Amino acid sequence: MPALKNPKHEAFAQKIALGSSAAEAYRQGWDCSDATAETNGPRLARDAQVMLRISELRKGVAEKAEKKFDMTKEKWLERLATIADKAEDAEDFSAATGALSQIGKAAAFYAPEEVKHSGSIGLENLSEAVSKVFGK
């Protein structure tokens, strides 16, 4: 896939591919408030073309890292496990937690859970629920 047509969107995708959060990447590309970046960054990151570009860029970054550092994902996870073990032995629980957190992210333990709704909610039920929650 070639670069995105919108240069700001391309820069945004590149920043995310290199590890920035969506909000931070948005904040760097647009002069906006933190609240705007926190809303618009994740929204832009969910755009189909932007998502595809981020995925493509991440693949390229991973391939370059593997070649440059002879570091595959498996080797990286093994190294993190070693770091976590050594940190625990040294009672450096902050470092151990950090390494374990990285392992969890790589294993997608932090992926959001999908919640499915069964049934229907009519507007009358929604109004009733809002009334119960907010007392209106």
Side-chain angles (χ1 to χ4, degrees), residues 35-51:
T36 299
E38 294 290 335
T39 301
N40 293 349
R43 182 181 302 144
L44 181 57
R46 289 190 302 269
D47 176 86
Q49 290 300 311
V50 173
M51 285 175 61

Side-chain angles (χ1 to χ4, degrees), residues 1-114:
M1 168 181 204
L4 295 170
K5 291 180 183 178
N6 184 321
K8 282 189 171 187
H9 290 187
E10 176 66 18
F12 175 83
Q14 289 179 12
K15 286 180 177 84
I16 290 179
L18 292 173
S20 291
S21 70
E24 182 59 31
Y26 194 89
R27 194 177 295 110
Q28 290 175 8
W30 286 264
D31 185 26
C32 64
S33 69
D34 288 349
T36 299
E38 294 290 335
T39 301
N40 293 349
R43 182 181 302 144
L44 181 57
R46 289 190 302 269
D47 176 86
Q49 290 300 311
V50 173
M51 285 175 61
L52 184 61
R53 183 64 176 147
I54 292 168
S55 176
E56 179 183 74
L57 290 167
R58 282 182 175 159
K59 183 179 177 187
V61 169
E63 288 171 357
K64 286 179 183 177
E66 281 185 30
K67 287 178 186 174
K68 183 173 183 177
F69 301 108
D70 188 34
M71 182 68 71
T72 63
K73 185 175 182 181
E74 290 77 21
K75 287 182 183 178
W76 178 68
L77 289 169
E78 288 173 15
R79 189 161 179 200
L80 283 171
T82 301
I83 291 169
D85 289 341
K86 287 182 178 181
E88 283 182 2
D89 291 345
E91 295 187 4
D92 184 352
F93 299 110
S94 177
T97 302
L100 291 171
S101 175
Q102 290 297 315
I103 292 169
K105 287 178 184 177
F109 291 153
Y110 299 111
E113 292 183 35
E114 183 177 340

